[in-house]
Amino acid sequence: MPEKHAQDMPSCGDCDGFPTVAITTGTNADGSRATLTVTCPACKGTGHTMAPGPAHAKGAA
């Protein structure tokens, strides 16, 4: 199922919107693959370059 993202938030230029990857580092003794999960340091795993703006509080002057 596709994820819903805000259309007005630009994708991160470093990871192109794919903030988490699994890197294969070899195989374990039982034959299974050993992987590392790494997140993009530029966007801190969000996939976007900036956070959404502050929400407006009701009744704020």
Side-chain angles (χ1 to χ4, degrees):
M1 183 177 291
E3 294 182 19
K4 294 181 182 179
H5 294 288
Q7 297 297 325
D8 58 345
M9 292 179 63
S11 293
C12 175
D14 290 344
C15 66
D16 291 329
F18 296 94
T20 305
V21 296
I23 300 171
T24 303
T25 59
T27 56
N28 293 323
D30 64 355
S32 63
R33 292 184 184 234
T35 59
L36 282 175
T37 302
V38 182
T39 58
C40 175
C43 66
K44 296 180 179 47
T46 64
H48 302 287
T49 55
M50 60 181 131
H56 298 291
K58 288 185 177 181

